[in-house]
Amino acid sequence: MELIRITSAILRRKWLLIQAVLFFTILSVVLTRNMPRQYKATTKVMVSTSDASMSVLSDMGLQELVSGMSDASDEMQNHIAMLTTRPILEEVVWNLQLRLDSGRMMPPEKLLVPGMLAAFEAPPSLSVKQHQSTDIIHIDALSDDPNLSSLLANTLANVYIAETKSRSRAETREARSFVESRLSVVQGEFEQALSQIASAQEREQVVDLESEVRSAVTRLSDLMMAGEENTARIQEVQAQIRQVKTLQGMESVNFVGPSTVNENPDIRGYRESLAQMRHQRQVLLKDKTEMHPDVKAVDMQIQAMEQDLARALSEQHDLDPTLLTLQTELAGLVEKGAELNSAIDRTTDRFATYPEKMQTLTQLELAATAAEEVYKSLQDQSYQIAIAEAMTVSPLQLLEPAIRPERHISPKMTSNLIVGMFLGFLMGMALVALFEYIDDSVKSAEALREVWDVPVLGMIPRVKTEKLTIAELPPTDVAVESFRSLRTSLDYTSLD
């Protein structure tokens, strides 16, 4: 019965349904023709490390640098997150000179969140995602200009590749700068020591030293070389500590590295709860305003959860095992340096017992030999660091640059027409239901019984005929029979 009533209502108001479908269909055509065309270009980037460079660096004894170049499984998410950071996007905006209608430079965040009117304005935008479960990153760029869309995707990839390459070389560059600065100092000390030895030998007429002196010279040389190596290692560990602290400084309530999430279940729980609360707030905002008590309560919960997450991040940073290991190693290196300096001082003090004439020459030869050994060691380290710096490449490789798209991806006339017709049908059905709801006219005996609790004596159908009276219709006509039934009912109800 309900299906019959629905069908009857649709047939009675079919023109209302047809008009709604036509209106939304025409509206979809007009909007589709007036909306700007959007072109999509995609750049593919591979996250990998050169096996050849890793093998060479391992053979040179630079295993620590090799381990820093190799990417873990969660590095993919780090690269995706860093591709959309503000400094990278600012450089892309500056390189392409992307400007607003007012002439000012486009804010970097507008490339990621174009705004509510993006479908009608078609501003340039970017999105970064991982291609299924591979090591390939897709950089998608949208714009109303096909050339700009391909330039935007390629520029972002090139800027980030250059940034990662520079960041990868930062550690070796710092170590190389320290070694080169020490080379010039040690070279001057070595040349000065040779000159003083020549003058002392000529003045004191001393040609050879005793075996004990030679042993002491060798000992002091080893100590000084160990001290220089210890100093270089201290500089390297300090650079690693600064790098870890820089990565920690990038983490905030809105961005937490995957490694931190995996290591700390509390932070993972806080992030999941915070995401659920934000989703709950979005659901509430569909029916309520931001001043509604329910929304305010959720906002207070979100604020409290963000404070808990920030506190957990601070505790995680303070207890980071990598940072603690480096700090412990640094403390040990500093202590070792103090011990080496003390040993050097003790070895030097031994020469006070030698004859006065030989003491000066011994000290000069000791200084010259130590300076020569340190100079050779620093030269070797400088050569190895230069090779390592030259072979250090970005972990990202441009796999497939974006090309100029030939066809736009939106708007699509066919899909918009289907959506318009569907919306028109839904609106038409809603109007039919609305008019049926406000229509209180009686159309059947059942509806009449709902209004008055009295028996129905008869029903006279609507008859389309050219006759003026019932008497002119044939006796077997449906209308004549309905009047005859009404007459009989009246007779039976008026027997009293």
Side-chain angles (χ1 to χ4, degrees), residues 119-136:
F120 300 96
E121 296 177 354
S125 61
L126 288 166
S127 64
V128 182
K129 60 184 178 180
Q130 181 181 5
H131 180 63
Q132 297 177 355
S133 300
T134 64
D135 292 335
I136 299 176

Side-chain angles (χ1 to χ4, degrees), residues 146-439:
N147 294 321
L148 178 59
S149 62
S150 59
L151 278 175
L152 192 59
N154 290 332
T155 302
L156 177 60
N158 292 328
V159 166
Y160 185 66
I161 289 175
E163 173 67 19
T164 55
K165 185 176 182 180
S166 176
R167 190 168 59 251
S168 299
R169 291 185 175 182
E171 183 178 349
T172 55
R173 190 182 299 114
E174 185 174 354
R176 181 181 181 184
S177 176
F178 170 76
V179 172
E180 288 178 350
S181 64
R182 294 296 303 166
L183 266 175
S184 59
V185 175
V186 175
Q187 183 177 6
E189 293 176 353
F190 179 61
E191 292 176 354
Q192 183 180 3
L194 291 179
S195 177
Q196 292 176 352
I197 288 175
S199 300
Q201 285 179 342
E202 182 178 357
R203 184 179 63 254
E204 303 295 342
Q205 295 182 354
V206 177
V207 179
D208 196 9
L209 296 175
E210 297 178 358
S211 59
E212 183 179 354
V213 176
R214 294 184 181 277
S215 175
V217 169
T218 304
R219 169 64 177 166
L220 188 57
S221 175
D222 294 337
L223 289 174
M224 293 183 68
M225 184 170 61
E228 293 292 339
E229 293 176 351
N230 188 72
T231 303
R233 180 56 185 167
I234 289 176
Q235 294 289 332
E236 181 181 357
V237 172
Q238 290 176 342
Q240 293 177 357
I241 292 175
R242 287 195 296 272
Q243 184 178 8
V244 171
K245 290 184 177 180
T246 300
L247 294 176
Q248 290 181 350
M250 296 174 60
E251 293 187 331
S252 63
V253 175
N254 296 322
F255 171 68
V256 181
S259 59
T260 302
V261 175
N262 293 334
E263 292 175 0
N264 196 320
D266 293 337
I267 293 179
R268 181 166 60 253
Y270 287 147
R271 289 191 66 201
E272 293 174 354
S273 300
L274 188 59
Q276 293 176 358
M277 292 178 183
R278 288 176 176 171
H279 176 72
Q280 181 182 358
R281 185 179 187 274
Q282 294 297 326
V283 173
L284 290 175
L285 287 177
K286 292 181 179 179
D287 301 322
K288 303 174 183 178
T289 64
E290 294 185 354
M291 302 303 296
H292 195 275
D294 293 343
V295 178
K296 285 186 175 181
V298 174
D299 289 340
M300 294 179 64
Q301 294 177 1
I302 291 175
Q303 184 178 2
M305 187 59 64
E306 288 178 348
Q307 293 176 356
D308 294 339
L309 179 56
R311 183 167 55 254
L313 279 175
S314 178
E315 295 175 355
Q316 174 68 18
H317 292 166
D318 293 339
L319 301 176
D320 189 353
T322 303
L323 183 60
L324 292 177
T325 301
L326 291 174
Q327 290 175 343
T328 303
E329 183 180 1
L330 179 61
L333 290 173
V334 172
E335 184 178 359
K336 180 181 178 181
E339 293 177 355
L340 289 173
N341 291 333
S342 178
I344 291 173
D345 293 338
R346 290 195 303 270
T347 304
T348 304
D349 292 339
R350 293 179 185 175
F351 291 98
T353 59
Y354 296 153
E356 184 178 355
K357 290 185 178 181
M358 298 183 61
Q359 184 175 356
T360 301
L361 183 60
T362 302
Q363 291 178 348
L364 292 176
E365 290 184 353
L366 174 63
T369 304
E372 182 181 10
E373 294 294 333
V374 172
Y375 183 76
K376 291 180 179 179
S377 176
L378 290 176
Q379 273 190 328
D380 185 56
Q381 290 183 11
S382 177
Y383 175 71
Q384 292 183 357
I385 292 174
I387 294 178
E389 182 179 357
M391 299 189 66
T392 301
V393 296
S394 171
L396 279 79
Q397 300 176 7
L398 188 61
L399 186 63
E400 182 180 325
I403 60 175
R404 182 183 183 275
E406 299 297 333
R407 300 183 61 182
H408 63 279
I409 62 169
S410 67
K412 296 181 179 180
M413 179 65 75
T414 303
S415 59
N416 289 349
L417 277 176
I418 295 174
V419 173
M421 294 175 66
F422 180 71
L423 292 177
F425 177 77
L426 292 180
M427 182 59 68
M429 293 296 293
L431 291 175
V432 169
L434 177 62
F435 277 90
E436 283 294 316
Y437 177 76
I438 63 177
D439 186 5

Side-chain angles (χ1 to χ4, degrees), residues 20-134:
V21 173
L22 288 177
F23 173 77
F24 277 92
T25 302
I26 295 173
L27 180 62
S28 65
V29 172
V30 173
L31 291 178
T32 301
R33 289 187 175 275
N34 291 328
M35 289 172 62
R37 294 184 175 183
Q38 286 191 337
Y39 295 86
K40 178 180 179 181
T42 301
T43 297
K44 297 180 181 179
V45 178
M46 171 73 77
V47 179
S48 61
T49 304
S50 174
D51 295 334
S53 61
M54 290 177 61
S55 176
V56 173
L57 293 176
S58 298
D59 294 340
M60 293 173 56
L62 301 177
Q63 289 82 1
E64 294 182 358
L65 184 59
V66 171
S67 62
M69 293 172 56
S70 59
D71 286 337
S73 58
D74 56 353
E75 283 298 308
M76 175 66 69
Q77 299 302 321
N78 288 342
H79 287 302
I80 293 176
M82 295 178 67
L83 268 165
T84 56
T85 54
R86 186 179 184 87
I88 299 297
L89 296 179
E90 283 181 345
E91 188 168 352
V92 172
V93 171
W94 177 258
N95 289 343
L96 297 179
Q97 288 295 299
L98 301 178
R99 298 181 181 272
L100 301 174
D101 295 337
S102 60
R104 295 185 303 171
M105 298 298 291
M106 177 182 292
E109 57 270 11
K110 195 172 179 62
L111 288 175
L112 301 178
V113 185
M116 298 180 62
L117 301 178
F120 300 96
E121 296 177 354
S125 61
L126 288 166
S127 64
V128 182
K129 60 184 178 180
Q130 181 181 5
H131 180 63
Q132 297 177 355
S133 300
T134 64

